[in-house]
Amino acid sequence: MNRNAFKQSAKKLIGPLYRKAREALPAPVRNEVFGYWEYHRTRHGQSPYWERREQPDATRRLVRLGFVGAGRYAQNHLKVLAQLDRVELSALLTTGGPRGQAAAREFGFKRTFTDADAFFAQSDLDAFVVVVPPEFLKGLALRGLATGKPVLLEKPPGVTAADAAELTLCAQAHGTFGMVCMNRRFFSVLEHGLAHLASCGPIRAMTVEIPQQVTRDRQSGRVSAFDHEHYFMRMSIHGVDLVRYVLGEPLSVHAVAHPNREGHNASATFATVLEFPGNAVATITDAWDTPHVWRIKITAEQGWVELEPLEHGFIATARPELHGGVQKTALRPDPVDVEFREGVYAQDLAFVEAVRAKTPPTLPACTLEDAHQTMLLMERILHPSNSSHSK
Amino acid sequence: MSHPYRIAIVGLGVHGTGIAGRLLENPARFELVALVDASVATLMRFRSRSPRSRVPFFRSVAEALRTQPDAFFVATPAPAHVAGVRAIIEGGFSGPILIEKPVSNSVSEVDGLLDWISSTGWRGRAAVDFHRRCAGIYHELHRHVRSGELGAVVGMEFVRPCKLSMNGAHFADLGNWYAGSAPVSVKAELQEHSTIDHRGSAFFDPPGRVEVKYASGVRFELETRQREGAPGPFGMRVRLEHGELFIDDEETHLEIRSPQGVKRVASDKVQFGYNWIEATLLSLLDASTGFTPCSLVEARDALAVIVAAHVSHQAGGRPVALPLEGPERSVALRVA
C-alpha cells in the first residue's frame, strides 16, 4: 500500500470515530478536548497576520511634535511617539503639575510650556497632538488647527456634532487636517479579523455591545461632572464609530433611548438597529451598569469575527467538510498591541506618516470629517425622535 | 503621460486585490495611487498581503480622484460597473478607464451608459477587460483567422467547466471577435443551481451549454458544465475550411493544424494571466502596444450573448434573437 492510499484508509477509519466522539460531548467539553488540537491544526494557514512596527529609515523627514497633556492616557501616546523613527517630541504644554514635569523628563521634551499662547506660537513644529480631558479638548484643538498645522486629538471631538463640525471647518479654513483618536479601528486583532472576512463573502451583519459602568464611574469620582454630563458621547463613541467604520454610512437608523437623566443615567439603555446598503444590518446595544465587557461580532456569509473584549477574539469559517461545520481560529495580535496600548502604535504612526506626506490620512484613520459623521450618528441614537426616518 | 503610470483601482475584491499586487510588483511601470472599496475588510486583506504598502484607501471614487490617477481600473462586481464609471467621469476624469468583465449585468444599462457618454462629449477612453484580446496566443489565433490562410471559419467550440458570466464571458467575447460577423441567435440550457462562492449567495451564475449562431452561418458552442464524460480536450477550438486552431484549457500553447502539418506556438501567459490584464491596461495608456482592447460596444454584445442564454434557458431552450429587443434588453442578471 502506498503512502496516499494508507492516508485515505486511515481517514476513512478514524474520521467517523472522531466525528462521533466530538458530537457526543457537550459544547464546553468538546471545545476543551478538541479545541486546542483544531486551533493548532489550522492557525497558521487560516488567520491573517502582519506586523506594523516601522523599519528605521534615515531618509525619512523629521517630524517635530508639540504635545498637549501629560495625564494618564497621554502616557499611552507618549510611549508610542517616543519610539517612532524620526519623530521628535519637541514641546510639551501642561498645567505645570508634577505629571507634566515627569513626562518632560521621561520623554526628553526640549521645551515645556504652561502658557498656551506661547506654545501655539512656536513656528518650528510640524504638528500637534492634543490629549486632554473632554472639557478642554475642543478649545485646544481649535488653537492647534488655527496655526495651519495638523492636529491629532483624542476622542470625542467635542461633545456634540456641532463641536465636531466647528473643528472640521476650522481645519478647512486653515488649510490643514485633524485626525481623531479612534484607536479601536487600529486594533490588530480587528484588522486581522476583517482581512479574514474579506474572503468570506459579503458582510451581512454586525452586533455591538458596549456596556458602560456609569454609576460606578460617577460614584468613584473617576469622571468629572462635565464628563458625566456627556458620558454617552464620550464613552460610547468607539462602538458606534466601529459600526460606521466597518459598514459605512447607514441608510436608516432605528433607535430606542432611555437615558434616565433624572436618575443620574443609572441603568440607562440605548438600543439601535441600523440598515446599510446590500441589506446589511447592525445592532448596537448599550446597556449601562451591566458587566463591562464589550463584544463585537461581524458576520459575513461564510464566516465571522468575534471579539470579546475587543482586544481578543477569533475568526470562524463555515467549512462544511469540517466536523461541526465551523472552524475557529484565535486571532493573533501584533506585538505592538501588546507592548503599547492597543491600536495606538498604528494610529499614531498613521498620523505621523500623514504629517510627513502633507496629506490627510486615509482609512482606517478617522479624520475630523469622518468623526463628524460619527457624532451625527451618535446624536441620532441619543435623540431617537430624529432617527426613525431614513437618511 | 509618462512612466510609471498612476493607477487607481475601484473594487478590491479577489480580482482587484490580485491586480493591485501585480501592479505593485512592477514599480518601474505602474504606481498604485488609490484603492477604492465600500468595505474596509478588503483593505485589510490587501494589507495582509502587502503590509508595507501605503496606498491610500477610499470609500468613494470622488475621494480617489484627488490622487490624480492616469487611469482607473473598475473591478467591482458587474452590477456596480456602470455607476462606478459614471462617478469617475462625473468627477471630471478624462483619462482611460478599464472596466472588468462583464461590463454590466444589464444590456440596457450599457446602452444608457453609451448614450450618456456620448451626450457628455467625454474625451476619455473606456474599454473592458476581456484581456485575452491582448494575449499573445489569442491574438495570434485571431491573426490566423483574419489572414484567411486556412480559409473561412466554419465553427467554434469552447469546452471548460466554469461560470458562464465569469470565465465563460471571455469566450463569448472571443467567439464574437473570431466569428467576424454579428451574433443573430442564442439558445441555451443552464444548470438549475449556481455554486455559491466568495462573491456571495446573491449572485446566480450557473454553467451551461450555449449555442450562438452568427450572421455568417457559423455556429459557436460553449459547454461550461461540469460533466462526467464531457467532450475533451478542454479549451477553445476554431475550425476553419482548411485547418483548425486550438488553445488548451491551461492556455499553454496555440496549436495550428493545417494541410502542412501541426505547429505549436508557446503561450505568453504568466501568473495566471495577470500579464494579459497588464497588457490590456497598457493598451489603453499607450497606443503603440499593438493590441486593441475590447470596446464598450463589443463588451455589450458579449453581455447580450450571456443575457440571451439566461432568457433562452428560462424559455425552455428556445432560440433568442439578437440583438435583444424590448424587455429582454432590460433583463438584469444576478451575476458578479
Side-chain angles (χ1 to χ4, degrees):
Chain A
M1 185 183 283
N2 68 28
R3 189 189 163 106
N4 275 343
F6 175 77
K7 276 172 80 176
Q8 290 301 322
S9 303
K11 269 187 183 175
K12 273 186 186 169
L13 188 70
I14 295 167
L17 292 174
Y18 178 89
R19 279 192 290 276
K20 271 191 181 170
R22 196 180 186 286
E23 283 156 19
L25 293 169
V29 181
R30 184 168 64 218
N31 290 342
E32 198 63 38
V33 174
F34 292 99
Y36 182 83
W37 180 77
E38 288 177 0
Y39 164 73
H40 281 279
R41 179 178 166 227
T42 59
R43 69 172 177 165
H44 296 298
Q46 294 294 317
S47 174
Y49 175 80
W50 67 96
E51 294 190 354
R52 291 145 185 81
R53 196 183 296 268
E54 62 175 356
Q55 305 297 317
D57 180 353
T59 64
R60 281 194 185 105
R61 190 168 67 81
L62 180 70
V63 171
R64 289 157 300 189
L65 295 176
F67 197 96
V68 187
R72 194 160 51 92
Y73 201 83
Q75 305 296 316
N76 293 319
H77 289 280
L78 289 168
K79 283 174 191 165
V80 166
L81 293 168
Q83 290 282 315
L84 293 181
D85 186 40
R86 307 283 296 152
V87 169
E88 181 183 284
L89 292 169
S90 302
L92 177 66
L93 173 66
T94 69
T95 55
R99 270 188 168 168
Q101 291 162 20
R105 277 195 306 274
E106 185 180 349
F107 296 104
F109 280 97
K110 289 188 170 174
R111 304 181 290 271
T112 57
F113 294 81
T114 53
D115 177 358
D117 290 337
F119 175 80
F120 286 112
Q122 296 173 91
S123 59
D124 63 342
L125 300 178
D126 297 304
F128 295 102
V129 181
V130 182
V131 188
V132 296
E135 54 262 56
F136 309 112
L137 187 74
K138 187 183 86 172
L140 288 163
L142 282 170
R143 296 200 60 175
L145 292 167
T147 67
K149 290 168 184 166
V151 174
L152 175 66
L153 63 150
E154 254 309 322
K155 58 82 192 168
V159 290
T160 63
D163 287 344
E166 188 181 344
L167 285 158
T168 305
L169 290 173
C170 180
Q172 288 168 355
H174 291 91
T176 188
F177 63 85
M179 175 175 156
V180 180
C181 294
M182 301 290 194
N183 66 312
R184 265 72 172 178
R185 292 184 177 198
F186 289 88
F187 275 19
S188 57
V189 288
L190 175 67
E191 293 193 341
H192 296 163
L194 287 170
H196 162 73
L197 278 193
S199 301
C200 292
I203 294 175
R204 301 286 302 279
M206 182 168 178
T207 58
V208 176
E209 292 178 37
I210 42 174
Q212 311 293 346
Q213 293 287 301
V214 64
T215 302
R216 188 194 65 188
D217 281 354
R218 186 178 62 82
Q219 290 176 347
S220 69
R222 185 173 158 261
V223 296
S224 67
F226 184 90
D227 278 2
H228 182 253
E229 172 71 18
H230 303 287
Y231 198 82
F232 178 78
M233 301 302 269
R234 181 171 173 260
M235 303 299 284
S236 298
I237 190 168
H238 280 302
V240 175
D241 180 69
L242 279 180
V243 171
R244 269 196 66 248
Y245 169 61
V246 172
L247 294 173
E249 301 304 336
L251 297 172
S252 66
V253 179
H254 312 273
V256 173
H258 297 295
N260 189 21
R261 289 196 186 283
E262 301 76 18
H264 300 291
N265 303 116
S267 305
T269 299
F270 306 90
T272 313
V273 177
L274 303 103
E275 296 176 272
F276 295 87
N279 295 329
V281 292
T283 60
I284 304 172
T285 310
D286 199 352
W288 290 2
D289 291 327
T290 63
H292 190 220
V293 179
W294 284 21
R295 291 186 192 89
I296 284 184
K297 183 177 179 186
I298 310 168
T299 307
E301 277 203 9
Q302 293 145 24
W304 73 85
V305 176
E306 208 163 327
L307 304 176
E308 178 192 335
L310 301 197
E311 294 79 5
H312 304 280
F314 61 86
I315 55 174
T317 311
R319 299 278 296 273
E321 73 274 22
L322 291 177
H323 334 290
V326 169
Q327 173 178 295
K328 290 183 178 179
T329 308
L331 284 161
R332 182 178 161 202
D334 185 318
V336 297
D337 276 359
V338 178
E339 184 178 346
F340 305 105
R341 173 87 172 183
E342 289 88 350
V344 174
Y345 183 96
Q347 170 189 265
D348 289 10
L349 177 59
F351 176 70
V352 166
E353 286 177 343
V355 171
R356 204 172 267 135
K358 297 183 178 174
T359 57
T362 56
L363 290 167
C366 183
T367 59
L368 276 170
E369 292 85 346
D370 198 348
H372 177 224
Q373 294 302 315
T374 293
M375 295 290 275
L376 286 169
L377 180 56
M378 298 279 290
E379 291 190 345
R380 293 173 78 183
I381 295 170
L382 193 57
H383 307 294
S385 56
N386 302 328
S387 305
S388 57
H389 56 81
S390 292
K391 192 184 169 188
Chain B
M1 226 181 281
S2 60
H3 290 181
Y5 295 118
R6 296 167 58 81
I7 310 296
I9 295 179
V10 183
L12 210 52
V14 170
H15 193 58
T17 305
I19 293 160
R22 171 78 187 181
L23 298 185
L24 285 175
E25 286 171 11
N26 197 350
R29 191 169 271 179
F30 298 109
E31 183 187 354
L32 199 51
V33 295
L35 301 169
V36 183
D37 200 291
S39 169
V40 289
T42 62
L43 167 65
M44 293 310 155
R45 175 172 54 192
F46 175 76
R47 286 262 170 98
S48 73
R49 294 174 190 181
S50 306
R52 297 285 160 208
S53 166
R54 289 290 181 269
V55 183
F57 177 88
F58 306 97
R59 282 196 209 267
S60 74
V61 163
E63 294 170 289
L65 279 162
R66 292 202 295 262
T67 64
Q68 299 184 313
D70 293 326
F72 271 92
F73 193 123
V74 179
T76 58
H81 285 170
V82 167
V85 172
R86 282 188 68 135
I88 292 166
I89 296 173
E90 282 172 338
F93 184 72
S94 58
I97 304 172
L98 184 59
I99 307 157
E100 195 38 62
K101 57 80 198 152
V103 60
S104 171
N105 63 330
S106 155
V107 174
S108 63
E109 194 182 39
V110 188
D111 291 338
L113 177 66
L114 287 163
D115 290 345
W116 178 77
I117 286 176
S118 172
S119 71
T120 60
W122 183 59
R123 290 180 302 154
R125 187 176 175 204
V128 175
D129 182 30
F130 280 121
H131 50 258
R132 283 173 175 83
R133 288 187 180 228
C134 299
I137 50 170
Y138 287 98
H139 200 262
E140 181 67 4
L141 194 156
H142 184 255
R143 194 185 65 75
H144 277 279
V145 169
R146 285 285 83 82
S147 71
E149 62 203 36
L150 296 175
V153 177
V154 293
M156 296 183 285
E157 289 108 39
F158 169 68
V159 183
R160 179 184 183 183
C162 63
K163 293 190 174 222
L164 194 56
S165 90
M166 293 285 108
N167 277 319
H170 279 289
F171 295 89
D173 172 60
L174 287 175
N176 290 354
W177 194 36
Y178 294 151
S181 68
V184 291
S185 80
V186 172
K187 67 176 182 178
E189 179 193 340
L190 307 182
Q191 285 188 348
E192 291 305 312
H193 300 290
S194 168
T195 308
I196 298 169
D197 61 12
H198 60 272
R199 297 174 186 91
S201 59
F203 295 111
F204 177 72
D205 191 9
R209 185 183 176 284
V210 182
E211 184 184 299
V212 187
K213 278 188 181 164
Y214 290 90
S216 60
V218 170
R219 212 173 61 167
F220 179 27
E221 290 179 29
L222 294 96
E223 175 57 84
T224 65
R225 292 172 294 185
Q226 179 83 55
R227 286 192 312 167
E228 288 294 326
F234 293 157
M236 175 88 184
R237 187 181 305 275
V238 178
R239 286 181 289 105
L240 301 125
E241 285 171 317
H242 309 299
E244 194 172 280
L245 303 164
F246 176 72
I247 293 175
D248 62 312
D249 186 41
E250 297 295 319
E251 299 171 316
T252 60
H253 65 274
L254 163 65
E255 188 176 278
I256 304 160
R257 286 183 180 273
S258 68
Q260 287 75 42
V262 178
K263 186 178 144 194
R264 282 192 166 197
V265 178
S267 174
D268 56 335
K269 185 180 185 178
V270 179
Q271 283 195 340
F272 310 105
Y274 277 117
N275 62 315
W276 294 343
I277 299 172
E278 204 175 291
T280 309
L281 189 54
L282 279 173
S283 71
L284 265 177
L285 289 155
D286 180 356
S288 67
T289 62
F291 292 122
T292 306
C294 180
S295 70
L296 283 178
V297 171
E298 289 168 326
R300 180 191 61 187
D301 293 345
L303 173 64
V305 169
I306 306 295
V307 171
H310 280 260
V311 173
S312 168
H313 172 73
Q314 283 158 17
R318 74 161 168 83
V320 172
L322 290 177
L324 294 170
E325 298 288 350
E328 289 172 352
R329 206 163 177 83
S330 301
V331 168
L333 300 179
R334 287 163 46 205
V335 297

